[in-house]
Amino acid sequence: MTQQPPEPISEQQWQGLPNGGEFPILAESRRRIRQQMQSSRATYQDLAVVVEADPALCLHLLHTTVDQNAGCEQQIAGAASCLSLLGMQELVRMVKHLPIVSADDEDSHMRLYRRCLHTAHFAGELAAYWSSQKGSGSPEYVRWSAMLANAPLWAWLLHEPRSANWLYYLSQGQDLLQAVASTFKSTSKRQWDQLARQLHLPSAAHELYQQDIWPKPELWRLLRHHDPRDVDGQRALLHHGQKPAFSCLLANGLAWHWHIAPLSKRSQRWVILASHWLGKH
């Protein structure tokens, strides 16, 4: 893991962040899509499975769909939705011209970016599975949102090497928001909100950057120790638990801590939170 000196990023560094067009996709995505397209029976759903293994490609697909179909954001619940609006050939053209990052890239910073894409994919799979078990939103939409919620971090990793400090602080035992505060000391919620809008994040992903709608600290503490269904008067926490954004939040919290230190106390805490939320304790 790349570790940079723990220097906070200044306010001025928010200028010039990539808006999505510069994000490299996984090198293997080209080969997989080419193979899939060789089948005369390939469907949008078949291609969607391949696309959603690469979160950066998902972001490119989303941006192209929005650019070519004004006002379509609310119709998009995953890669299949985008492909139905764009067509298969547009995906082939896009993949052919996008930059790539390979597993053996000589740039250690790009290898870190690649690992972040894999972690985002893992978060998406966790969120989709949990939603299918709990019934808290469409698994396809929750997968899509949980993956793309990581896009602001990809923008920072490509723009400013010191943003890798976020992963360093996670490795030192800080939780997600603590690590953000340590890395981006001079930033405001407004800036994160604007970046999420610029990247056209789905609503459930965008909500993760609006902390005022998260559960209050006392609700987090209760979830740490109890299944909220076993405690009277927990309507607010149960309401939060049914939101797709909450699935995205828990999945990303667990995925990132498993990525950094799977046996740490932080990882175990997120496992307990997810277990109580799912009623699997």
Side-chain angles (χ1 to χ4, degrees):
M1 182 185 68
T2 301
Q3 294 184 1
Q4 301 291 338
E7 300 175 2
I9 293 173
S10 68
E11 192 84 15
Q12 291 72 27
Q13 292 301 115
W14 281 82
Q15 304 301 319
L17 281 173
N19 62 8
E22 302 173 31
F23 295 166
I25 65 173
L26 299 174
E28 55 269 31
S29 294
R30 282 184 179 173
R31 172 179 52 79
R32 291 170 178 168
I33 289 173
R34 188 182 304 114
Q35 290 174 342
Q36 193 68 55
M37 289 297 294
Q38 288 174 352
S39 170
S40 59
R41 298 181 179 180
T43 65
Y44 289 145
Q45 195 58 52
D46 294 333
L47 283 169
V49 172
V50 178
V51 170
E52 290 178 353
D54 185 340
L57 180 54
C58 290
L59 187 64
H60 285 290
L61 188 65
L62 173 62
H63 285 188
T64 302
T65 305
V66 170
D67 289 344
Q68 296 187 16
N69 301 271
C72 70
E73 288 92 336
Q74 296 305 315
Q75 303 176 40
I76 298 174
S81 304
C82 294
L83 290 169
S84 67
L85 292 169
L86 291 177
M88 295 183 184
Q89 292 305 316
E90 181 64 23
L91 173 65
V92 173
R93 184 202 64 77
M94 183 191 316
V95 170
K96 182 178 179 181
H97 294 95
L98 288 173
I100 61 172
V101 55
S102 61
D104 58 354
D105 197 297
E106 295 182 356
D107 186 337
S108 61
H109 204 67
M110 292 307 296
R111 292 198 301 271
L112 173 60
Y113 165 81
R114 180 184 167 90
R115 291 198 296 273
C116 289
L117 294 184
H118 287 308
T119 303
H121 175 243
F122 178 47
E125 293 302 310
L126 279 177
Y129 177 73
W130 289 344
S131 292
S132 71
Q133 298 297 299
K134 192 173 175 61
S136 55
S138 158
E140 291 77 16
Y141 175 71
V142 174
R143 176 191 291 111
W144 182 254
S145 299
M147 286 194 297
L148 293 180
N150 290 268
L153 175 61
W154 310 335
W156 272 111
L157 287 172
L158 293 173
H159 177 66
E160 171 53 62
R162 285 179 297 169
S163 61
N165 288 338
W166 186 73
L167 287 90
Y168 166 77
Y169 286 119
L170 287 180
S171 72
Q172 298 302 300
Q174 293 191 15
D175 217 329
L176 301 180
L177 288 181
Q178 289 177 297
V180 168
S182 298
T183 307
F184 306 96
K185 287 188 181 298
S186 59
T187 62
S188 67
K189 290 188 293 185
R190 177 182 57 82
Q191 289 168 311
W192 287 107
D193 184 67
Q194 288 179 345
L195 179 55
R197 291 180 186 279
Q198 290 169 6
L199 292 171
H200 300 298
L201 297 189
S203 297
H206 191 181
E207 286 184 29
L208 300 192
Y209 296 91
Q210 300 171 317
Q211 297 168 23
D212 52 328
I213 65 174
W214 285 21
K216 302 301 182 185
E218 57 270 20
L219 296 182
W220 281 114
R221 287 192 291 270
L222 185 144
L223 187 61
R224 172 74 186 278
H225 298 287
H226 304 282
D227 181 334
R229 288 164 288 269
D230 295 338
V231 182
D232 293 336
Q234 297 307 317
R235 180 176 296 179
L237 184 52
L238 291 171
H239 174 69
H240 273 291
Q242 289 300 316
K243 293 182 178 180
F246 199 69
S247 302
C248 298
L249 175 58
L250 284 177
N252 274 289
L254 183 53
W256 275 108
H257 283 290
W258 269 354
H259 171 94
I260 298 297
L263 300 180
S264 69
K265 291 182 179 180
R266 294 289 186 185
S267 292
Q268 294 305 309
R269 189 180 76 168
W270 282 95
V271 168
I272 293 170
L273 288 169
S275 297
H276 287 161
W277 170 65
L278 290 165
K280 302 292 186 181
H281 52 94

